Amino acid sequence: MATLVKTVHVTKSVNNVTKLLSHLSISPGSSGEPIAFQRPRIPLMHYAFMHTTPRPFGLMEFFDDRKNWGKQEVKVGRSWRLDELRIKSNEDLHKLWYVLLKEKNMLLTMEHACTEEYEIFPNPERIDKIKESMSNLEAIVRERNKAFHLLETGETGERPGKLVSSALGLRRYHRMGEYVIPQYMNKTWYKKHFFGHGSYAVQKFLRLYREKLWLAKKREKNRNKNRVMQILKQFPNVDPEAIKKNFPDSDIENLKLRKKAQGHRAPE
C-alpha cells in the first residue's frame, strides 16, 4: 500500500513539471522569444559601465617604444603653446593632461633605466618639453577658472595670500590655508611661519643684504659699460640701436666719447 501511494505522488510531480515546461515553451513573451530564454529586466542604473584601452600593454606602457631603445636621438616635436591650448575645450584639455602625465612617467622611467644601465638617455629635453606643456595647460585652466569665478561671484577664486616678512626680515608672498586648530592655538604653525621679527641682528642682516644687492647691480652695470666700449672700439660703425637693444641701461652717446672706445686708428 505504501508503495502505491509513493507511485501516485511521483506521477503527479512528473505531470506538474511537464505542464510547467509546456507552458514555458509555448507562451511567447513581449519580445517574441520564449519566456524561458528571456534575460531578466534590470533597470539601467544597475548596469556598471567600464572603459578599457583597446590594446592593453601592462607595465610596458612605462617604457618607450622598442624601436627607440639604444638610439642616440629620437625625433620629437615641440611643447604645447598657450595660444594652441586656449582654443581647446575643457574635455580636450582633461584628456591632454593625462596623455602628458603618462608620457612624463614613461620618460622618467626610461631616464632611470638608462642611468642604472649606464646608457645614454636620448633627447633628455623631452622631459623639459613635457613639463612646459603641463605648465602651460595648468595656466590655461587657471585662467578659465578665474574668469568663471569673476563672472559668477565677482572674486578670482584663487587661494588668498599676502606679503609677509620672514624671520630674516625678507618680504615674500605667503599663501593662506585652512587649519582645524585656530591660529592663536596652533604652536606648530607658529614654528613654521615666524613673521615680523625686527631685532637688531635682523636689521643688521638686512643692511648687509641690501649692500650686497647694490654692489652686485653696480658690478653688472660696469661690466655692461665696458662691454659696450669694447664693441665701439672694435666696430666703430655699429648700429647704436642694436647696442641699445642688448644693453638698454648704457648711454651710447656718452660712451662714444670715452678714451677706451676710441681705439688706435689713424685719422681719415
Side-chain angles (χ1 to χ4, degrees):
M1 187 65 181
T3 306
L4 181 60
V5 172
K6 290 183 179 180
T7 306
V8 172
H9 284 299
V10 170
T11 306
K12 288 183 179 180
S13 301
V14 172
N15 292 334
N16 292 334
V17 172
T18 305
K19 290 180 181 180
L20 180 60
L21 293 177
S22 63
H23 285 304
L24 291 176
S25 60
I26 293 174
S27 302
S30 59
S31 60
E33 297 179 356
I35 297 178
F37 299 99
Q38 288 187 12
R39 284 177 288 183
R41 296 180 180 178
I42 303 176
L44 185 61
M45 65 179 65
H46 291 173
Y47 284 104
F49 296 96
M50 183 177 63
H51 299 275
T52 58
T53 55
R55 297 178 59 191
F57 294 99
L59 293 178
M60 290 306 297
E61 293 191 58
F62 284 96
F63 297 90
D64 200 359
D65 195 353
R66 289 183 179 272
K67 63 181 181 181
N68 296 331
W69 292 7
K71 288 190 176 182
Q72 300 294 329
E73 183 178 0
V74 179
K75 294 183 179 180
V76 294
R78 55 172 175 79
S79 58
W80 286 86
R81 299 172 181 172
L82 291 173
D83 52 353
E84 296 173 342
L85 296 173
R86 284 193 178 98
I87 61 177
K88 291 189 173 294
S89 63
N90 293 334
E91 184 178 358
D92 292 340
L93 292 179
H94 187 266
K95 294 178 182 179
L96 181 59
W97 175 266
Y98 282 100
V99 171
L100 294 173
L101 183 61
K102 183 178 178 180
E103 186 74 10
K104 179 183 176 182
N105 290 337
M106 183 272 295
L107 292 176
L108 293 177
T109 303
M110 291 299 299
E111 184 182 31
H112 178 73
C114 292
T115 303
E116 291 291 326
E117 298 295 332
Y118 300 98
E119 297 286 344
I120 298 177
F121 178 59
N123 296 67
E125 68 274 5
R126 290 184 290 174
I127 301 178
D128 298 333
K129 293 180 180 180
I130 292 293
K131 291 182 179 180
E132 183 180 359
S133 300
M134 298 180 73
S135 178
N136 292 339
L137 194 152
E138 192 174 8
I140 297 300
V141 173
R142 187 176 291 109
E143 285 181 2
R144 297 185 181 183
N145 289 338
K146 185 177 179 180
F148 174 79
H149 283 282
L150 286 174
L151 182 62
E152 295 292 331
T153 64
E155 299 179 355
T156 59
E158 294 284 338
R159 186 176 176 182
K162 62 180 181 179
L163 288 175
V164 296
S165 298
S166 64
L168 296 177
L170 301 176
R171 301 283 289 177
R172 65 181 182 87
Y173 184 79
H174 171 66
R175 301 182 67 184
M176 300 181 181
E178 296 182 357
Y179 300 91
V180 179
I181 306 176
Q183 181 178 352
Y184 67 91
M185 298 176 58
N186 197 344
K187 298 181 179 180
T188 306
W189 186 89
Y190 272 107
K191 291 180 180 180
K192 296 181 180 179
H193 305 82
F194 191 67
F195 301 145
H197 195 276
S199 63
Y200 172 77
V202 172
Q203 297 299 327
K204 181 180 179 181
F205 167 76
L206 291 176
R207 188 165 58 251
L208 296 175
Y209 182 71
R210 295 191 191 101
E211 181 181 357
K212 178 181 178 181
L213 295 179
W214 182 81
L215 291 175
K217 187 176 181 180
K218 183 178 179 180
R219 293 191 190 99
E220 183 181 4
K221 188 175 181 180
N222 290 333
R223 286 195 300 268
N224 293 339
K225 186 188 302 182
N226 293 330
R227 179 59 178 166
V228 170
M229 288 189 294
Q230 188 69 18
I231 293 175
L232 293 175
K233 180 179 179 180
Q234 295 180 359
F235 309 98
N237 298 326
V238 68
D239 186 9
E241 295 298 331
I243 300 179
K244 194 70 176 178
K245 184 178 179 180
N246 296 324
F247 305 95
D249 298 334
S250 300
D251 188 0
I252 307 300
E253 300 299 330
N254 187 18
L255 294 177
K256 284 184 178 180
L257 303 177
R258 297 290 184 92
K259 185 176 181 181
K260 290 183 179 180
Q262 297 299 322
H264 302 283
R265 294 180 298 273
E268 297 179 356

